[in-house]
Amino acid sequence: MSSEDLKDTDTEARFEFKKEEKSAFETEKGLTEETVRLISEDKDEPEWMLERRLRALQQWQEMPMPTDWPGQPDLSEVDIDEIVPYIRPDIETRGGAESWEDLPEEIQDTFDKLGIPEAEKNALSGVGAQYESEIVYQNMQERWEEKGVIFCDMDKAVQEHEEIVKEHFMTKCVPPSDNKFAALHGAIWSGGSFVYVPEDTTVNMPVQAYFRMNSEGMGQFEHTLIIAEENSEVHYIEGCSAPKYSAFNLHSGGVEVFVGENAHVQYSTVQNWSKNTYNLNTKRAIVEADGTMEWVSGSMGSKATMLYPATILKGPGATDNHITIAFAGEGQNIDTGAKVYHNAPDTKSTIESKSISKDGGRTNYRGLVHISDGAEDSKTNVECDALMFDNESTSDTMPYMEIQENKVDVAHEATVGKIGDEDVFYLQSRGLDDDDAKQMIVAGFIEPITEELPIEYAVELNRLIELEMEGSLG
């Protein structure tokens, strides 16, 4: 499908289509020790990975479901006994095909409609595509491989880059003990991306991974591990989607980012889950001296989201920037935010949150900024802006500041407003109808986020929000 064909394809159709389920192997519903052992055996994993899975399973079983956070989404429907945690798609090559043409026709068609092969040809250093529980395609441009850049699926990384994965995987950044869903993830993770950028290497075109849930009642638990060594730079882009079914789906991914001294990592994601999906992720970065971490996130579509990317500013001069947008329509509770831990002097962080709610939907910013004793001359700035379409919708802001050092600069600002009749009237006087006027106001509202994305993603995000405003996406 060419770029012109993609432009002419209805965005709703590109995300809402479903394919007949075809799997080579899948577990039964529910989570038991037998399930964990079956997943590890099917992947032919080393013993240490199985041991980590089993420890995570025990932690999952011992931890209570989070229910006491003020205003949190209702998770009572999340029943792991009703989820199929692992589905290996029916392709001949484990670890992904070498070309798009080697994939089964129905999987080719899925990613062709999503525009992934076209994006790979035009604007990416590398691309990965996950279907259900496993990567089905992964490719890195040869010129980056020659410089020592690694971009492969996590299952392959466990086998071929075992020592570096063993050192970093759910040990320092996101341990299973962090929360109940991190423990769940540690027990049954599957697929995801491994990115390694060596010292003094700048990858000047983004690498992209796309995660697609196709089956009803399944869970997707991909793990992304990014390691950027000293003086390196990389931009990782992630897209996610799923069609709507009557049964609920669960997405509980894990992301770990290690930013070396004077390195720069940008992690951008546009998540467009269906309204029967619970999106419960754990994402964290550790940043060394003078390194920079940037999170750019767009979250919409799910029934409930709890997503709070966290950054630990470990070294002096480290910087963290969060830019997020959340959209909630009827029946949706989108609870997002950010966490930043200033653990060294001269560290800086900014958090910019934008939320939109309509038709009774609820958005909430839930964030934490912690400045440790001794992290002097650190600076943080938090801005939360909410836009509501009607009196039935709600938007809350729950910022937490833990300041243990006196010599710091801390700022927080929050605004909540409705689309003003005067603004709509002015745009109508310039020739726009009511819907187009509101869409233009929203586009201006989210511009700080879209300008941080590659043009293809920015256009897609704007179009998705237009569809959400129309109530077209399921």
Side-chain angles (χ1 to χ4, degrees):
M1 185 177 291
S2 69
S3 57
E4 290 302 316
D5 291 333
L6 285 171
K7 290 177 183 177
D8 294 337
T9 301
D10 180 74
T11 302
E12 180 183 356
R14 286 176 56 195
F15 290 98
E16 285 298 287
F17 64 91
K18 306 170 184 177
K19 292 292 182 180
E20 180 184 353
E21 297 178 26
K22 293 183 180 180
S23 63
F25 175 79
E26 65 180 82
T27 60
E28 298 293 328
K29 289 181 178 180
L31 177 55
T32 64
E33 181 176 329
E34 181 184 4
T35 302
V36 173
R37 290 184 179 276
L38 282 172
I39 293 172
S40 189
E41 180 182 359
D42 191 59
K43 295 175 177 293
D44 193 25
E45 292 179 338
E47 186 66 22
W48 64 266
M49 181 57 79
L50 173 59
E51 291 174 358
R52 290 191 188 182
R53 287 183 181 275
L54 292 174
R55 285 200 301 270
L57 172 63
Q58 183 177 358
Q59 290 171 307
W60 155 261
Q61 293 170 336
E62 294 172 352
M63 288 181 178
M65 184 73 79
T67 57
D68 58 351
W69 292 14
Q72 75 166 65
D74 180 8
L75 302 181
S76 60
E77 189 182 16
V78 179
D79 183 356
I80 300 303
D81 290 336
E82 295 300 319
I83 282 288
V84 178
Y86 180 67
I87 299 176
R88 172 157 54 87
D90 187 13
I91 64 172
E92 294 182 2
T93 306
R94 293 299 300 269
E98 294 185 1
S99 70
W100 289 107
E101 290 71 25
D102 293 335
L103 291 171
E105 183 177 346
E106 67 272 11
I107 296 180
Q108 281 189 52
D109 183 58
T110 294
F111 289 106
D112 196 36
K113 286 179 178 176
L114 294 169
I116 309 305
E118 186 69 18
E120 178 186 20
K121 286 186 288 187
N122 293 337
L124 300 173
S125 295
V127 66
Q130 177 159 332
Y131 193 81
E132 312 295 31
S133 297
E134 290 211 344
I135 292 289
V136 295
Y137 176 81
Q138 195 104 25
N139 186 46
M140 187 76 187
Q141 288 188 8
E142 186 175 336
R143 61 175 171 145
W144 300 116
E145 290 182 343
E146 291 174 350
K147 293 184 177 183
V149 178
I150 302 170
F151 179 46
C152 66
D153 66 89
M154 275 300 302
D155 295 307
K156 183 176 181 180
V158 170
Q159 303 292 343
E160 298 187 5
H161 308 284
E162 184 173 355
E163 289 308 312
I164 193 169
V165 174
K166 188 176 182 179
E167 177 185 352
H168 292 86
F169 182 88
M170 300 195 78
T171 54
K172 311 168 188 175
C173 206
V174 180
S177 59
D178 186 79
N179 64 76
K180 188 171 180 68
F181 288 98
L184 173 67
H185 174 87
I188 53 178
W189 75 271
S190 182
S193 298
F194 175 72
V195 180
Y196 176 82
V197 185
E199 188 175 335
D200 298 321
T201 302
T202 297
V203 183
N204 56 18
M205 298 171 65
V207 295
Q208 173 183 304
Y210 201 96
F211 302 102
R212 176 73 175 181
M213 271 196 293
N214 179 69
S215 298
E216 181 175 12
M218 76 161 291
Q220 192 172 73
F221 307 95
E222 81 285 348
H223 191 90
T224 299
L225 176 57
I226 301 172
I227 302 170
E229 299 285 17
E230 184 176 352
N231 295 317
S232 67
E233 185 171 346
V234 67
H235 182 186
Y236 177 87
I237 305 175
E238 172 189 277
C240 312
S241 66
K244 184 179 181 181
Y245 290 101
S246 56
F248 82 93
N249 283 21
L250 173 64
H251 178 250
S252 186
V255 176
E256 300 182 285
V257 185
F258 293 85
V259 185
E261 290 189 14
N262 202 39
H264 184 172
V265 175
Q266 180 172 331
Y267 183 101
S268 302
T269 179
V270 176
Q271 300 190 358
N272 177 40
W273 300 111
S274 59
K275 290 184 175 65
N276 62 300
T277 299
Y278 287 83
N279 184 28
L280 310 170
N281 289 342
T282 305
K283 301 182 178 184
R284 185 168 297 149
I286 297 176
V287 186
E288 303 292 344
D290 298 315
T292 299
M293 180 67 204
E294 294 188 73
W295 302 93
V296 181
S297 305
S299 182
M300 64 197 73
S302 62
K303 182 171 184 177
T305 287
M306 296 177 71
L307 177 59
Y308 323 100
T311 301
I312 299 171
L313 299 174
K314 181 181 177 183
T319 300
D320 175 66
N321 299 313
H322 280 80
I323 302 176
T324 65
I325 180 170
F327 189 105
E330 182 180 2
Q332 293 178 282
N333 191 338
I334 310 300
D335 202 282
T336 59
K339 300 178 182 179
V340 186
Y341 299 86
H342 292 254
N343 291 348
D346 298 304
T347 50
K348 298 178 179 64
S349 68
T350 62
I351 299 172
E352 185 174 5
S353 172
K354 302 273 189 178
S355 64
I356 304 165
S357 52
K358 69 183 291 284
D359 296 333
R362 177 182 183 268
T363 59
N364 180 46
Y365 167 82
R366 192 187 303 270
L368 168 67
V369 175
H370 174 91
I371 301 181
S372 300
D373 183 22
E376 60 182 19
D377 297 321
S378 292
K379 298 179 180 179
T380 185
N381 183 61
V382 181
E383 295 183 17
C384 303
D385 298 320
L387 188 62
M388 295 185 293
F389 273 69
D390 48 62
N391 294 328
E392 292 73 35
S393 300
T394 58
S395 180
D396 297 315
T397 302
M398 300 181 183
Y400 295 87
M401 300 283 190
E402 298 176 349
I403 312 301
Q404 299 175 349
E405 170 62 47
N406 291 325
K407 194 180 176 184
V408 296
D409 187 353
V410 177
H412 177 263
E413 177 184 345
T415 62
V416 178
K418 291 179 62 178
I419 290 183
D421 292 338
E422 292 182 0
D423 295 332
V424 174
F425 178 78
Y426 172 77
L427 291 172
Q428 288 177 324
S429 72
R430 313 302 291 181
L432 298 179
D433 62 25
D434 183 74
D435 288 341
D436 287 342
K438 291 178 179 178
Q439 288 174 4
M440 179 171 286
I441 292 170
V442 170
F445 179 72
I446 67 170
E447 186 176 5
I449 286 93
T450 56
E451 66 184 9
E452 294 294 326
L453 293 169
I455 184 64
E456 295 86 356
Y457 267 71
V459 170
E460 197 68 73
L461 179 60
N462 273 310
R463 181 59 185 139
L464 286 170
I465 287 178
E466 288 177 14
L467 288 170
E468 289 281 4
M469 291 171 62
E470 296 166 4
S472 300
L473 286 179

